[in-house]
């Protein structure tokens, strides 16, 4: 089982999602982002940058993330983290989206699984990951594109091996924001699915 | 003494479209939440906190905030209190599986914060209820109850007076983001400023 650490920006939703049941048991450490140090990550395999972290602090701490990756470890970046300010070579793009698609019977969410064999789907189905998303990403060269928006073909979930020495998993979905805000039951299901996937993820 | 209103940003440039308006130039000053522990609050007349506030910082300065209120100043706080930062405050209680009917906003008394605001517009954003609030931060004894949901059972907005100071709590998303139209959100933000400034109609 991997040692997972999650970054806590001190918002109400971070404190609820990361330090309380049911997700607290998945984390070896919950680390306060503004005082994060590299030493705190020594025994950590996977660092989770939770949804809506304070991006000015992510910017300040970005060297730590790249040092962590250089050790062959895994960085997971969730939605609403303004990656343009601190994540190298990754291009986030705005996507038009009907945030209220489930209220219109003619609509279905415009996301599509590209790699159904991706092991995350042993733990969760796309329908249980769906509420909305916050933009998407240009698919990086050599990335494994897992979920994309149908029309634009931009990724909302991808994995990139050999990213600055480690593995990078990026999504524009924001389950920990919604779970910790007591909004959207699917966010809780997704949180379970993702954390169960990460705890047993094979790391080189 | 500056006597300005302090708008504490948790995310850089948060709500700049409001506090940066020309009419607030001499009234509102924005600072990052990370500067909060190192400034002299005595220089300000009020503080506005967003739902994204780092609650560990609030806990670190809890005594200072209480003293600020005791000295006749005002605080407007949005969001869910998960780490109560002085003894009268209690942890947010979410509604369990709220129905659409339970989300319906009920005004319990007139208040300057909602002056000329159509409450109906706060009920839904793009057809979805629940933006405004999904539960309540329990009101301290003696607080005035302003807004409720769940057929008046859950108090969402309350004002708690300490000496001549006052703490206004909205237990939900930042109040100035809850309506569709920007001009409506601005009107609400402006009402918050008027409440702080002590409008004669209060």
């Amino acid at each position: 089982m991997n040692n997972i650490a999650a970054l806590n920006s001190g918002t109400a939703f971070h404190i609820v999602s990361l330090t309380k049941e049911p997700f607290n048991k998945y984390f070896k450490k919950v680390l306060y982002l503004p005082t994060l140090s590299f030493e705190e990550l020594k025994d950590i395999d996977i660092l989770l940058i939770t949804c809506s972290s304070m991006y000015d602090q992510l910017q300040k701490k970005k060297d730590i993330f790249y040092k962590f990756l250089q050790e062959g470890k895994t960085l997971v970046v969730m939605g609403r983290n303004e990656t343009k300010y601190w994540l190298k070579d990754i291009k986030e793009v705005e996507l038009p989206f009907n945030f209220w698609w489930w209220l219109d019977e003619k609509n279905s969410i415009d996301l599509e699984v590209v790699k159904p064999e991706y092991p995350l789907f042993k733990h969760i189905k796309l329908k249980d990951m769906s509420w909305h998303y916050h933009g998407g990403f240009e698919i990086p060269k050599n990335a494994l594109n897992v979920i994309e928006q149908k029309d634009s073909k931009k990724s909302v979930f991808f994995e990139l091996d050999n990213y600055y020495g480690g593995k990078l998993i990026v999504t524009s979905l924001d389950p920990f924001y919604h779970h910790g805000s007591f909004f959207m039951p699917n966010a809780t299901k997704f949180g379970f699915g993702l954390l169960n996937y990460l705890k047993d993820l094979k790391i080189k | 003494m500056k006597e300005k209103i302090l708008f504490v940003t948790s995310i850089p440039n948060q709500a700049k479209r409001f506090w940066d308006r020309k009419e607030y130039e001499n009234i509102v000053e924005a600072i990052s939440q990370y500067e909060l522990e190192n400034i002299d609050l005595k220089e300000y007349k009020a503080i506005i906190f967003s739902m994204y506030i780092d609650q560990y910082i609030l806990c670190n300065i809890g005594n200072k905030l209480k003293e600020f209120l005791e000295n006749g100043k005002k605080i407007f706080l949005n969001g869910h209190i998960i780490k109560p930062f002085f003894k009268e405050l209690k942890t947010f209680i979410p509604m369990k599986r709220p129905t659409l009917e339970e989300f319906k906003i009920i005004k319990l008394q007139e208040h300057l914060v909602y002056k000329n605001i159509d409450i109906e517009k706060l009920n839904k954003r793009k057809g979805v209820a629940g933006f405004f609030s999904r539960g309540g931060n329990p009101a301290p004894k003696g607080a005035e109850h302003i807004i409720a949901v769940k057929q008046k059972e859950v108090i969402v907005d309350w004002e708690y007076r300490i000496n001549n100071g006052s703490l206004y709590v909205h237990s939900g998303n930042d109040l100035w983001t809850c309506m569709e139209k920007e001009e409506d959100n601005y009107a609400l933000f402006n009402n918050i400023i008027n409440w702080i400034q002590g409008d004669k109609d209060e």
Side-chain angles (χ1 to χ4, degrees), chain B residues 32-134:
Chain B
S32 158
Q33 60 182 1
Y34 301 111
E35 296 171 66
L36 205 50
E37 288 178 72
N38 299 317
I39 60 158
D40 187 1
L41 295 179
K42 286 192 191 76
E43 300 208 8
Y44 299 90
K45 68 189 307 180
I47 312 173
I48 301 174
F49 291 112
S50 109
M51 59 164 281
Y52 291 94
I53 185 69
D54 181 329
Q55 302 206 6
Y56 299 111
I57 296 174
L58 286 186
C59 288
N60 291 346
I61 60 163
N63 290 339
K64 278 207 254 179
L65 293 175
K66 186 77 186 287
E67 200 181 281
F68 185 77
L69 293 166
E70 285 166 350
N71 288 334
K73 311 284 181 91
K74 287 179 176 173
I75 293 177
F76 190 97
L77 175 78
N78 294 279
H80 303 165
I81 297 172
I82 303 298
K83 293 262 171 206
F85 49 94
F86 52 76
K87 72 172 172 27
E88 288 91 334
L89 303 176
K90 301 270 185 298
T91 307
F92 175 79
I93 302 172
M95 286 191 276
K96 282 186 184 142
R97 299 178 183 274
T99 62
L100 198 57
E101 198 46 41
E102 287 173 342
F103 276 131
K104 196 172 166 53
I105 299 163
I106 304 156
K107 197 195 271 182
L108 300 173
Q109 62 169 296
E110 294 301 323
H111 194 282
L112 201 51
V113 167
Y114 290 95
K115 189 179 174 184
N116 298 327
I117 300 292
D118 179 0
I119 291 287
E120 284 299 313
K121 288 184 182 171
L122 287 159
N123 271 321
K124 286 182 182 175
R125 206 172 120 188
K126 301 195 178 173
V128 177
F131 266 92
F132 182 80
S133 180
R134 294 178 288 281

Side-chain angles (χ1 to χ4, degrees), chain A residues 119-171:
Chain A
L120 172 70
F121 299 115
K122 285 180 191 161
H123 303 279
I124 191 158
K125 296 185 176 92
L126 178 66
K127 76 172 178 58
D128 294 330
M129 299 166 71
S130 303
W131 54 94
H132 59 239
Y133 49 87
H134 291 271
F137 296 89
E138 299 290 354
I139 302 163
K141 203 179 161 195
N142 301 324
L144 184 69
N145 182 25
V146 180
I147 303 170
E148 69 181 18
Q149 194 207 31
K150 284 178 194 167
D151 298 333
S152 67
K153 304 291 175 198
K154 305 297 180 202
S155 183
V156 301
F157 194 113
F158 68 84
E159 186 176 306
L160 188 54
D161 277 329
N162 300 318
Y163 175 79
Y164 289 87
K167 187 196 284 284
L168 178 71
I169 297 174
V170 176
T171 180

Side-chain angles (χ1 to χ4, degrees), chain A residues 2-204:
Chain A
N2 293 314
N3 287 337
I4 305 173
L7 293 184
N8 180 359
S9 284
T11 67
F13 56 86
H14 281 116
I15 297 170
V16 171
S17 278
L18 307 178
T19 71
K20 296 185 187 299
E21 288 179 348
F23 296 144
N24 56 348
K25 64 171 187 253
Y26 287 90
F27 303 119
K28 168 98 173 166
K29 288 177 181 173
V30 174
L31 300 168
Y32 184 51
L33 172 59
T35 56
L36 178 72
S37 72
F38 181 66
E39 285 64 40
E40 290 176 298
L41 300 175
K42 282 215 161 118
D43 54 349
I44 297 303
D45 306 303
I46 298 175
L47 178 60
L48 184 64
I49 299 187
T50 27
C51 329
S52 290
S53 296
M54 296 307 144
Y55 71 85
D56 51 340
Q57 300 303 305
L58 294 174
Q59 218 170 357
K60 283 185 181 166
K61 301 293 179 182
K62 69 177 183 183
D63 292 348
I64 295 177
F65 307 145
Y66 285 96
K67 228 169 137 181
F68 179 76
L69 283 161
Q70 269 163 25
E71 294 196 338
K73 294 179 173 183
T74 297
L75 188 70
V76 182
V77 181
M78 309 302 295
R80 295 177 74 195
N81 272 317
E82 300 287 342
T83 54
K84 64 178 177 231
Y85 293 110
W86 58 276
L87 198 60
K88 296 180 201 175
D89 314 330
I90 302 299
K91 193 163 186 291
E92 200 165 346
V93 284
E94 279 186 26
L95 295 176
F97 181 60
N98 171 15
F99 274 78
W100 326 107
W101 56 271
W102 63 84
L103 296 168
D104 183 348
E105 285 174 8
K106 290 178 206 151
N107 270 336
S108 59
I109 194 163
D110 52 356
L111 295 180
E112 194 165 54
V113 172
V114 185
K115 290 269 178 266
E117 66 276 24
Y118 187 71
L120 172 70
F121 299 115
K122 285 180 191 161
H123 303 279
I124 191 158
K125 296 185 176 92
L126 178 66
K127 76 172 178 58
D128 294 330
M129 299 166 71
S130 303
W131 54 94
H132 59 239
Y133 49 87
H134 291 271
F137 296 89
E138 299 290 354
I139 302 163
K141 203 179 161 195
N142 301 324
L144 184 69
N145 182 25
V146 180
I147 303 170
E148 69 181 18
Q149 194 207 31
K150 284 178 194 167
D151 298 333
S152 67
K153 304 291 175 198
K154 305 297 180 202
S155 183
V156 301
F157 194 113
F158 68 84
E159 186 176 306
L160 188 54
D161 277 329
N162 300 318
Y163 175 79
Y164 289 87
K167 187 196 284 284
L168 178 71
I169 297 174
V170 176
T171 180
S172 57
L173 293 162
D174 58 346
F176 298 106
Y177 169 78
H178 287 286
H179 169 81
S181 303
F182 309 98
F183 203 22
M184 306 274 184
N186 270 4
T188 308
K189 288 186 198 168
F190 182 23
F192 274 120
L194 181 75
L195 292 170
N196 282 326
Y197 165 61
L198 292 176
K199 91 180 154 60
D200 296 324
L201 179 73
K202 277 185 192 152
I203 293 178
K204 282 175 194 171

